[in-house]
Amino acid sequence: MENIPSIETVYQAVHTLYHNPDTTEKEKASLWLGELQKSVCAWKIADELLHRQGDVESCYFAAQTMRTKIQYSFHELPLESHGSLRDSLLEHISKVTESTSSVIVTQLCVALADLVLQMTSWQKPVLDLINKFGLTNLLPLLEILTVLPEEVNSRTLRLGSNRRHDILQELRTCVTPVSDYLKACLVNQGDNTLIQMRILRCFTSWVSVHGITLPEIADNLVVANAFHVLANHQSENKLHEAASDCVCALLQSLEDNNNQQSLEAQLFQGVVSLEQAYHMSVAHEDLEKSINYCRVFTELAETFLEKIVSASNSNELHFSVKILDIVLICVGHHDYEVAAITFNLWYRLSEELYQKNNDPLTHLFKPYIERLIKSLCKHCQIEPDHEGLLEDGDDFSDFRVKVSELIKDVVFIVGSSNCFRQMFMSLQEQNVTWESSEANLFIMQAVAKNVLPEENEVVPKVVEAILNLPQQTHIAVRYTSLLLLGELCEWIEKHPQSLEPVLNFLLYCLQQPKLASAAATALQSICSACCKHMDVHFNGIVQIIQSLDTFSISNEAANGLLKGVSMILGKMPPEQLHQSMKEICWLQANPLAMLLETDVKIERGTKTDPTLWLDRLATVFRFTQTNVLNGATHPCVGVVTEMWPVLSATFNKYLPDVRTMERCGRVVKFAIRCVGRQSAHLLEPIVKQILSLYNQYQHSCFLYLGSVLVTEFANEPGCIEGLDNMMQAFITPTFTLLQENNGLKNHPDTVEDFFRLCSRFLQNAPVVFLNSPSLNAILQCALLATSLDHKDANASVMKFFYDLVHCGRTKETNEDFVVRSALIKELIQKHGQALVNNLMQACVFSLQSYMLSDVADVIMELLINDRESLGRWLEEALKNLPMQNSSGCVTATPAQLEEFHQTCLSSENSKGLSHTLRAFARLFR
């Protein structure tokens, strides 16, 4: 924004944004105000708007602008202006009254907190704020003191770990005056619910960053108040929630420092004493409070979990095991939302016991898990008056999925067969309701895969009962029974006599619209597990495939069926395999060919969608795997050859549609992988076509397909020249795209697939790639892409550099190692410094922490290749990093740089090096 707009113009834009009914004008105003916020003049305009104190909207815009400018653009201000900005913000906050909008207050308080964190020249800011506002501006000061610790770990502020450490040290020196201030507020304003809530929130914030530490809370008035609020089931809900947050923060702090025995006993007794208050919340049907109590109980259980497990033995359980009983009471709450809060506790308990691998110890916790599963089974019951099936994706369905996952994790504690048997026994009880039966079957389904296939007592009865379910049985019971049948596929494989009645039952269910998807899922599992026994049933399976589109099943279920059928195909004799696969492939290709001859409008997920048929073809090729004797013709090669003209025509017709191109490319990929080198006769037509298509539309899937061709054919005689020509032909359109303004950022898929292609060349034909006339341009592009903050694209670039360095020392290929090694050595010496510079800049300024493991792989490979050169390059790269940020905070000291340098050079593996990189990057973030 070149010219500073008048305040009246800004007022008008804000008014338009909030009040103009014309959406076009609103969008224009929003864009204009967004550009204004990015400009340097926004500082002055925001300040003036706050001074004028016009309408709420303009004040909010000004406060928000001030906050975002301090968060993201603090570097725009010279050091000498920091003091005046502070004074201005303090003035604005001092004018806050009870009538001031809370959102404006919050924005101003966060802005001031962020200023405190970045303004190194402001000494003792917390004490200054308490002295300035004291009890006169109570609410704003409490808000500032709340958000200040919260903002310390904000990743939007690039404070660096040194500055964060200094700030935390500063906060710890202020604990006494802050605690005294909170106590004074509580004494003077303790009858004000809003003030109480703000005090609790503030205290929680300081505990969470270990500003207020455990020794300081033993007799703390605020802690006592939190327990007092929780003990009163009639407390206002928001206050009750704030008290729960406070106690949970204390318990988390206790877990991090669990050597405070007297304090842990005090907190344990305080939390356990809340059991009666929980029962009162249930009696009064106050779900919010019940949830809060459950959070506190669960947090206490997680705090003591390690002691509960390690300090218990067959003679005596640790005293704190009592909290598991209380948590299980919460699991029994009538609302499943309460039970869901406890799930992480049970995951952690199962993990602790699994790691201990101590059967007697595990046995001690069997009663707790039995009670847990019993309660979860009850929670999984569908409402008795529910008609039809549950809808996927609703809250209750999602809860049942989580229950299933949890039970799979914890069931080893009670034994899968025991759990399965208990659920079956519940089904045998008299007058059992349909919803109870369905829930028991649902739990059985979760553990069925772990039941031994040799089991002959319960499973045969279960299978027989499912096969003989009366027609009038509730649809949900029949649906879940089908899913259970699919989970018993390994048992069925061991009992082939049950296969025919099961298949007949599933075929019958496939023809019932509401059961078809479950039947298809079960059929897929059984086909996959029992493929050795399916040859006599195959004709019937083919008939099912022929009738696929007459069943009411999803495309996902249809593909699942085809997966199961394909696995059967792979076990057939070659001649039978060829004929059967040809028939199944044409069942999918014929409708696709018909679409190619018409101009019917594509409707996603319907028969007019070419991707439906392409996905099915891809599934058949992907999962048909057979062993071919040396020298024998692959039985599927003829089918692949027949499919190519249809796929070629699909490429041509639907070229503008990237979705169809990607799916068509997947079919070609799996078809080639299915028959391997015997599809070499298709290489030339495939390459010729994808190059032609890529010149028209730069879909990255063509690059990906090119990488597949390199992997499959680079080592085949006579193929490498064509593949090299393909690579050269890809480069011009690719670089044209990536050299656009923000080309790398706007086309991450192209970056990912292009460098995957380069990596495949390095892995399969390195000398050819290293002699490429475009190699220097490729390296320059890769160097620029090191800072691309896109997970998959950046990983592909790092893998390229890793492969580049690695292939200079590996002797596992047939290429001339001496030639390759010399070429690589020359390249590394030429580009090593630039590579290390870019990698360090990317680590510090561009990449997310989780992406640094890929960078570590590259640096580790450079270290193995030439430790001395890496040491020089790293030293130079570190000199180029800023030792101070824009606000004058020290980022990295010389000692820290030296330590990092030495640690890198002494690293023994990538994992350790990635930890080193993450720690170093935090100095600048």
Side-chain angles (χ1 to χ4, degrees):
M1 191 165 285
E2 295 180 5
N3 299 318
I4 300 178
S6 67
I7 291 297
E8 285 66 32
T9 304
V10 179
Y11 272 126
Q12 185 60 48
V14 172
H15 185 271
T16 299
L17 178 64
Y18 285 98
H19 300 292
N20 195 319
D22 187 335
T23 54
T24 304
E25 292 300 313
K26 277 180 178 288
E27 288 175 8
K28 285 182 183 177
S30 179
L31 288 171
W32 188 85
L33 289 169
E35 288 301 312
L36 173 62
Q37 286 184 318
K38 294 176 187 176
S39 68
V40 176
C41 64
W43 294 99
K44 183 177 180 181
I45 287 172
D47 190 45
E48 188 167 344
L49 286 172
L50 288 169
H51 274 296
R52 290 198 180 191
Q53 293 190 324
D55 54 29
V56 172
E57 289 90 354
S58 64
C59 286
Y60 174 72
F61 171 75
Q64 183 203 41
T65 300
M66 192 66 80
R67 176 186 63 78
T68 56
K69 293 299 286 185
I70 292 173
Q71 276 186 333
Y72 300 105
S73 307
F74 194 62
H75 60 272
E76 292 177 353
L77 295 178
L79 287 172
E80 58 271 18
S81 66
H82 293 178
S84 59
L85 174 61
R86 173 195 59 196
D87 296 342
S88 183
L89 272 174
L90 290 173
E91 183 185 351
H92 296 313
I93 290 170
S94 68
K95 294 177 181 176
V96 166
T97 65
E98 290 185 4
S99 62
T100 307
S101 169
S102 61
V103 291
I104 295 173
V105 176
T106 299
Q107 295 290 324
L108 288 173
C109 291
V110 173
L112 184 62
D114 289 345
L115 177 64
V116 167
L117 299 178
Q118 296 180 89
M119 186 175 167
T120 53
S121 59
W122 190 355
Q123 302 294 316
K124 307 294 182 186
V126 173
L127 296 178
D128 288 349
L129 290 167
I130 292 174
N131 290 331
K132 180 173 180 60
F133 293 123
L135 298 176
T136 57
N137 292 82
L138 197 63
L139 286 174
L141 180 54
L142 285 172
E143 185 69 14
I144 295 166
L145 292 177
T146 300
V147 297
L148 182 58
E150 293 172 350
E151 289 293 292
V152 170
N153 294 313
S154 167
R155 290 303 166 197
T156 57
L157 297 174
R158 298 187 71 92
L159 296 173
S161 55
N162 284 325
R163 175 60 179 165
R164 285 192 169 88
H165 176 268
D166 291 344
I167 292 163
L168 289 172
Q169 290 294 102
E170 168 71 18
L171 293 183
R172 289 183 185 117
T173 66
C174 302
V175 166
T176 300
V178 169
S179 292
D180 290 344
Y181 178 68
L182 294 179
K183 291 173 191 174
C185 291
L186 201 56
V187 170
N188 294 324
Q189 303 276 347
D191 55 344
N192 184 319
T193 300
L194 178 60
I195 297 295
Q196 270 195 78
M197 187 175 69
R198 293 291 177 86
I199 291 167
L200 286 168
R201 278 187 56 220
C202 183
F203 187 83
T204 302
S205 179
W206 281 68
V207 169
S208 296
V209 296
H210 305 297
I212 295 177
T213 56
L214 293 174
E216 292 146 353
I217 67 170
D219 299 309
N220 193 288
L221 190 62
V222 178
V223 177
N225 180 251
F227 277 101
H228 177 74
V229 169
L230 289 175
N232 179 9
H233 72 275
Q234 295 181 322
S235 297
E236 198 272 329
N237 276 350
K238 287 190 176 181
L239 178 60
H240 196 273
E241 183 181 9
S244 303
D245 290 340
C246 180
V247 173
C248 285
L250 289 171
L251 293 171
Q252 287 166 5
S253 183
L254 183 63
E255 185 177 3
D256 295 336
N257 304 273
N258 59 1
N259 58 348
Q260 309 277 333
Q261 292 186 359
S262 60
L263 183 60
E264 75 176 21
Q266 179 187 338
L267 285 172
F268 185 87
Q269 291 305 320
V271 172
V272 168
S273 69
L274 298 174
E275 182 183 351
Q276 187 57 40
Y278 166 77
H279 289 300
M280 292 298 291
S281 75
V282 176
H284 287 82
E285 298 184 356
D286 193 335
L287 178 60
E288 287 186 42
K289 288 195 179 70
S290 295
I291 286 173
N292 289 335
Y293 288 124
C294 184
R295 285 171 50 219
V296 172
F297 295 145
T298 304
E299 195 65 60
L300 178 65
E302 292 201 51
T303 297
F304 277 84
L305 186 60
E306 191 177 332
K307 289 185 178 179
I308 290 173
V309 174
S310 60
S312 295
N313 55 60
S314 56
N315 298 319
E316 186 180 11
L317 288 166
H318 190 262
F319 78 89
S320 59
V321 79
K322 174 179 172 59
I323 191 59
L324 293 184
D325 290 301
I326 298 177
V327 172
L328 282 168
I329 291 171
C330 294
V331 175
H333 191 281
H334 62 84
D335 194 301
Y336 66 82
E337 280 186 65
V338 180
I341 292 166
T342 72
F343 282 11
N344 190 60
L345 166 64
W346 307 115
Y347 280 123
R348 285 188 57 191
L349 174 61
S350 69
E351 187 65 24
E352 286 279 342
L353 293 174
Y354 184 79
Q355 295 294 336
K356 298 285 185 188
N357 193 23
N358 182 328
D359 288 342
L361 179 63
T362 299
H363 187 75
L364 293 175
F365 294 90
K366 183 176 178 181
Y368 297 97
I369 301 303
E370 285 176 339
R371 286 169 59 192
L372 172 68
I373 293 174
K374 188 175 180 181
S375 292
L376 293 179
C377 183
K378 190 171 182 180
H379 277 302
C380 286
Q381 290 183 15
I382 302 169
E383 290 294 331
D385 58 352
H386 185 88
E387 296 180 2
L389 301 171
L390 292 174
E391 290 198 19
D392 287 340
D394 70 11
D395 290 344
F396 184 53
S397 291
D398 288 346
F399 170 76
R400 284 175 36 123
V401 169
K402 290 173 184 172
V403 167
S404 180
E405 291 170 351
L406 175 60
I407 287 176
K408 287 174 184 176
D409 271 3
V410 304
V411 74
F412 77 90
I413 299 170
V414 297
S416 297
S417 295
N418 287 335
C419 178
F420 195 86
R421 187 181 295 108
Q422 287 299 319
M423 294 297 116
F424 180 69
M425 288 172 63
S426 297
L427 288 172
Q428 309 305 305
E429 295 173 2
Q430 289 188 339
N431 302 320
V432 64
T433 61
W434 75 263
E435 66 273 13
S436 177
S437 296
E438 192 278 337
N440 280 283
L441 289 164
F442 179 78
I443 302 300
M444 291 166 74
Q445 175 212 338
V447 303
K449 276 270 172 69
N450 294 328
V451 174
L452 292 175
E454 294 79 16
E455 206 279 343
N456 277 316
E457 182 185 345
V458 177
V459 178
K461 296 176 183 176
V462 172
V463 172
E464 183 183 1
I466 292 173
L467 297 182
N468 292 289
L469 280 173
Q471 184 67 31
Q472 66 271 22
T473 304
H474 194 286
I475 191 73
V477 176
R478 293 160 67 199
Y479 186 90
T480 303
S481 298
L482 284 168
L483 296 178
L484 171 56
L485 205 55
E487 291 296 298
L488 290 169
C489 58
E490 292 177 14
W491 184 91
I492 294 169
E493 196 270 335
K494 291 290 185 183
H495 299 77
Q497 70 275 10
S498 66
L499 189 53
E500 186 167 355
V502 166
L503 291 175
N504 290 334
F505 177 71
L506 293 177
L507 178 57
Y508 170 71
C509 293
L510 272 171
Q511 298 165 54
Q512 300 178 55
K514 291 185 178 180
L515 296 177
S517 283
T521 301
L523 189 56
Q524 176 211 326
S525 298
I526 291 167
C527 286
S528 301
C530 306
C531 50
K532 293 178 182 177
H533 306 299
M534 294 294 289
D535 50 345
V536 295
H537 306 288
F538 190 72
N539 288 336
I541 298 295
V542 171
Q543 289 175 11
I544 292 174
I545 298 301
Q546 289 171 338
S547 308
L548 208 52
D549 295 304
T550 66
F551 305 133
S552 299
I553 62 175
S554 64
N555 291 329
E556 183 183 0
N559 278 304
L561 264 180
L562 283 166
K563 174 184 174 181
V565 170
S566 301
M567 296 177 82
I568 299 170
L569 281 171
K571 304 297 180 184
M572 290 182 166
E575 187 56 41
Q576 189 182 355
L577 166 55
H578 170 77
Q579 196 56 41
S580 299
M581 188 175 186
K582 179 177 177 179
E583 182 179 353
I584 290 172
C585 283
W586 276 112
L587 284 172
Q588 321 312 320
N590 279 327
L592 181 58
M594 290 175 63
L595 287 177
L596 296 172
E597 295 170 5
T598 63
D599 288 320
V600 63
K601 183 181 177 183
I602 295 176
E603 291 184 38
R604 280 199 178 196
T606 70
K607 296 175 186 177
T608 66
D609 187 349
T611 66
L612 182 146
W613 311 106
L614 292 168
D615 284 347
R616 293 183 182 183
L617 275 173
T619 298
V620 176
F621 285 123
R622 182 179 187 180
F623 293 103
T624 303
Q625 299 175 4
T626 188
N627 294 321
V628 180
L629 297 174
N630 286 337
T633 301
H634 197 291
C636 301
V637 70
V639 183
V640 171
T641 304
E642 287 184 43
M643 290 298 108
W644 168 245
V646 179
L647 297 173
S648 175
T650 304
F651 272 133
N652 286 331
K653 173 155 186 173
Y654 296 105
L655 176 58
D657 182 14
V658 63
R659 179 169 156 267
T660 305
M661 293 300 96
E662 287 174 349
R663 300 306 226 293
C664 197
R666 283 182 78 243
V667 181
V668 176
K669 173 180 75 172
F670 288 124
I672 288 171
R673 286 182 177 171
C674 178
V675 298
R677 63 185 63 183
Q678 293 191 28
S679 58
H681 61 289
L682 294 175
L683 178 59
E684 185 177 346
I686 292 173
V687 168
K688 185 177 179 181
Q689 183 161 14
I690 64 175
L691 287 176
S692 171
L693 299 173
Y694 190 67
N695 275 307
Q696 298 174 66
Y697 284 88
Q698 285 75 52
H699 298 315
S700 70
C701 58
F702 297 129
L703 295 168
Y704 179 83
L705 188 52
S707 69
V708 173
L709 298 177
V710 172
T711 303
E712 295 296 328
F713 300 117
N715 294 310
E716 289 300 301
C719 292
I720 190 61
E721 184 179 352
L723 291 170
D724 186 34
N725 291 336
M726 175 190 74
M727 178 73 191
Q728 300 309 315
F730 271 137
I731 285 176
T732 299
T734 299
F735 281 9
T736 301
L737 190 69
L738 297 182
Q739 286 170 353
E740 294 174 356
N741 189 30
N742 288 324
L744 293 168
K745 183 179 179 181
N746 294 337
H747 303 285
D749 292 344
T750 300
V751 174
E752 178 188 356
D753 290 326
F754 177 73
F755 285 105
R756 179 188 285 109
L757 173 61
C758 295
S759 287
R760 297 291 168 84
F761 259 104
L762 283 167
Q763 293 161 10
N764 296 280
V767 172
V768 172
F769 182 79
L770 293 170
N771 282 308
S772 167
S774 305
L775 180 59
N776 192 60
I778 292 170
L779 286 169
Q780 293 303 320
C781 181
L783 286 169
L784 289 173
T786 52
S787 60
L788 184 58
D789 185 13
H790 183 282
K791 182 178 183 295
D792 296 329
N794 193 273
S796 183
V797 173
M798 295 304 162
K799 184 68 169 67
F800 164 71
F801 278 121
Y802 172 87
D803 287 333
L804 180 68
V805 181
H806 184 73
C807 79
R809 63 186 186 87
T810 180
K811 300 181 182 181
E812 295 172 1
T813 69
N814 295 322
E815 298 286 353
D816 185 341
F817 174 69
V818 176
V819 173
R820 187 176 74 230
S821 182
L823 289 170
I824 293 293
K825 186 174 182 180
E826 183 182 346
L827 277 175
I828 293 175
Q829 287 302 318
K830 182 179 178 182
H831 298 283
Q833 183 66 70
L835 174 58
V836 175
N837 280 347
N838 285 22
L839 290 177
M840 294 312 303
Q841 293 284 331
C843 286
V844 167
F845 297 115
S846 305
L847 305 184
Q848 304 296 322
S849 292
Y850 66 84
M851 298 166 69
L852 300 188
S853 58
D854 296 322
V855 180
D857 289 339
V858 178
I859 295 177
M860 195 70 212
E861 202 60 28
L862 288 167
L863 181 65
I864 295 169
N865 188 277
D866 187 343
R867 183 182 298 267
E868 185 179 341
S869 293
L870 177 64
R872 291 198 312 273
W873 297 331
L874 195 55
E875 185 178 358
E876 191 62 32
L878 295 178
K879 289 177 183 176
N880 295 328
L881 295 175
M883 296 301 98
Q884 287 188 338
N885 63 21
S886 57
S887 58
C889 302
V890 173
T891 49
T893 65
Q896 287 171 326
L897 293 176
E898 179 61 27
E899 181 185 2
F900 170 72
H901 186 270
Q902 292 302 320
T903 306
C904 281
L905 294 183
S906 60
S907 295
E908 296 181 355
N909 55 60
S910 290
K911 186 175 181 180
L913 184 54
S914 67
H915 288 311
T916 301
L917 286 175
R918 288 190 185 104
F920 183 70
R922 282 195 289 271
L923 293 172
F924 298 84
R925 297 183 176 185

